[in-house]
Amino acid sequence: MLLDTVFGWFSEDMGIDLGTCTTLVCVRNEGIVLNEPSVVAVRKGTNTVLNNGEAVGLVAREMLGKTPGSITAIRPLKDGVISDFEITEKMLGYFIRKVHGRGLVRPRVVIAVPSGITAVERRAVIDSAERAGARKVYLVDEPMAAGIGAALPITEPTASMIVDIGGGTSEVAIMSLADISTCESIRIGGDDFDEALINHLKRTYNLLVGEPRAEQVKIQIGSAVPLEQELTMEIAGRDTISGLPRKIVITSEEIREALREPIAAIIETVMRTLEKAEPELAADLIENGMHLCGGGSLLRGMDSILSNATGLKVVHVEDPISCVARGTSVYLENLDLWKDTMDQTGYSWD
């Protein structure tokens, strides 16, 4: 422990929200220092990252859906877990180098992971981070990190409820006394919203669009509830029948209908979590309500539809996208405070 304290003077220990869509890095006393897409561009058939290992993040995202046959843009995480071990290692290494520079000592890293992943998947995250240059790796469940980052009273004997809708997973948890009382995790998130839109356009209009364009539609006119003034948008893609480029005009009503299924799955997860809550904690939520974070929570009307389904007050946390990353940084600053929680997850304390 003393060595970690001494090393901390010479290294920028960091918290990482390793997301399916986006990776955020937070450094003590500096806040969010990196916010880049979880994308890597490699030469096809190899794990060689382009541009001398620099085609990661924003640079690689620009290539999604537009690469020639010799290049592949890869998202190495799927549904919140590592699907390509080696590419994830290279991506993490790039981000750590970019933030840490050439520090004298390798940094300690806290990484937020979905609460529902297996022990093998947790081990894969630790191994990737260590190979990427971390001196020591600690894992924290995303709902816990989100609660810390949102400054909820999770250490007090009262219920704090967080709904974190990320790119690949949605996490719902009720926390009290510095630990998770009950939690549900499903592998449905913003990516599934995009996939639902892609399928709708293909099925209804015979129009093929890529993930970036579907995401743009979701952001600009997507909603979970009817809008006071419905929106329209022009979108271009490839006609599946003629094979030629074509553009159409779509409405927010039809996008809402396309998103009905993944939104319903998230609502069902919230309801299951509430059903498992202890009576006293459930009673606390009448006053405390639930808090939304994650990029998927920014869909228009997501707070309203959850409030209507549960009868609870629903509010967005401050800066919902960076909430988990901020929590990892605070977690790292107060490792002693969270010692008991870490012991319970099965990881050694040294």
Side-chain angles (χ1 to χ4, degrees):
M1 199 68 180
L2 176 60
L3 287 177
D4 281 340
T5 303
V6 174
F7 286 159
W9 298 338
F10 298 97
S11 65
E12 288 185 312
D13 294 339
M14 59 188 71
I16 300 177
D17 176 10
L18 186 60
T20 304
C21 294
T22 307
T23 295
L24 293 92
V25 179
C26 193
V27 173
R28 184 186 308 176
N29 300 324
E30 294 184 34
I32 304 297
V33 295
L34 183 142
N35 181 349
E36 296 204 24
S38 303
V39 185
V40 182
V42 300
R43 297 206 174 278
K44 190 169 184 178
T46 73
N47 287 326
T48 303
V49 182
L50 297 177
N51 300 342
N52 296 319
E54 300 294 309
V56 180
L58 293 170
V59 174
R61 186 182 181 183
E62 294 297 319
M63 303 180 189
L64 276 175
K66 301 179 181 180
T67 56
S70 59
I71 298 173
T72 304
I74 297 174
R75 293 173 61 180
L77 290 102
K78 182 173 177 59
D79 297 332
V81 299
I82 294 174
S83 59
D84 191 313
F85 184 90
E86 188 171 345
I87 297 299
T88 300
E89 177 188 323
K90 292 184 177 182
M91 181 181 74
L92 271 174
Y94 171 81
F95 290 149
I96 290 174
R97 288 194 307 274
K98 189 170 183 178
V99 172
H100 186 59
R102 301 296 177 183
L104 297 177
V105 180
R106 297 189 302 170
R108 294 183 303 173
V109 174
V110 170
I111 300 179
V113 295
S115 60
I117 67 173
T118 66
V120 172
E121 291 165 338
R122 287 174 180 264
R123 185 71 249 174
V125 174
I126 293 173
D127 289 344
S128 290
E130 288 177 343
R131 290 174 182 269
R135 180 174 89 253
K136 186 174 291 187
V137 182
Y138 304 100
L139 300 186
V140 56
D141 289 338
E142 283 181 5
M144 181 67 74
I148 297 170
L152 300 183
I154 63 174
T155 60
E156 299 177 11
T158 187
S160 296
M161 184 171 184
I162 201 88
V163 179
D164 178 10
I165 307 175
T169 63
S170 292
E171 309 273 325
V172 184
I174 299 173
M175 295 164 286
S176 176
L177 295 172
D179 207 349
I180 294 175
S181 173
T182 182
C183 180
E184 287 276 339
S185 176
I186 58 168
R187 297 189 177 186
I188 292 178
D191 282 355
D192 297 273
F193 294 170
D194 299 341
E195 187 65 29
L197 295 181
I198 291 171
N199 291 336
H200 169 76
L201 293 171
K202 182 179 179 181
R203 182 174 57 250
T204 307
Y205 297 102
N206 296 316
L207 188 74
L208 280 179
V209 300
E211 291 179 10
R213 204 165 297 269
E215 183 181 22
Q216 185 181 16
V217 172
K218 175 185 67 179
I219 292 171
Q220 291 195 16
I221 67 171
S223 70
V225 296
L227 304 175
E228 289 186 9
Q229 182 175 354
E230 299 293 349
L231 306 171
T232 61
M233 179 180 175
E234 195 175 70
I235 183 171
R238 176 166 61 84
D239 192 294
T240 59
I241 298 175
S242 69
L244 300 175
R246 181 163 68 94
K247 62 182 179 182
I248 60 170
V249 175
I250 54 176
T251 66
S252 53
E253 293 101 323
E254 60 183 304
I255 296 305
R256 185 162 56 250
E257 182 62 30
L259 296 178
R260 182 186 299 273
E261 188 173 334
I263 290 174
I266 292 171
I267 294 174
E268 183 181 345
T269 303
V270 171
M271 301 297 283
R272 283 200 309 269
T273 306
L274 288 170
E275 289 168 1
K276 295 192 300 183
E278 293 293 333
E280 287 300 316
L281 293 179
D284 289 341
L285 293 175
I286 297 296
E287 179 67 27
N288 299 342
M290 74 174 74
H291 296 77
L292 291 182
C293 67
S297 72
L298 297 177
L299 183 72
R300 294 176 184 83
M302 185 61 76
D303 52 351
S304 298
I305 200 169
L306 286 172
S307 181
N308 291 338
T310 63
L312 297 176
K313 174 180 66 176
V314 179
V315 297
H316 281 96
V317 305
E318 182 180 352
D319 197 358
I321 293 179
S322 66
C323 179
V324 172
R326 294 198 311 272
T328 60
S329 178
V330 176
Y331 191 95
L332 182 58
E333 293 174 19
N334 300 276
L335 285 175
D336 284 336
L337 178 64
W338 306 108
K339 177 178 182 295
D340 291 339
T341 301
M342 293 183 70
D343 284 345
Q344 291 170 13
T345 62
Y347 293 99
S348 61
W349 181 264
D350 46 26

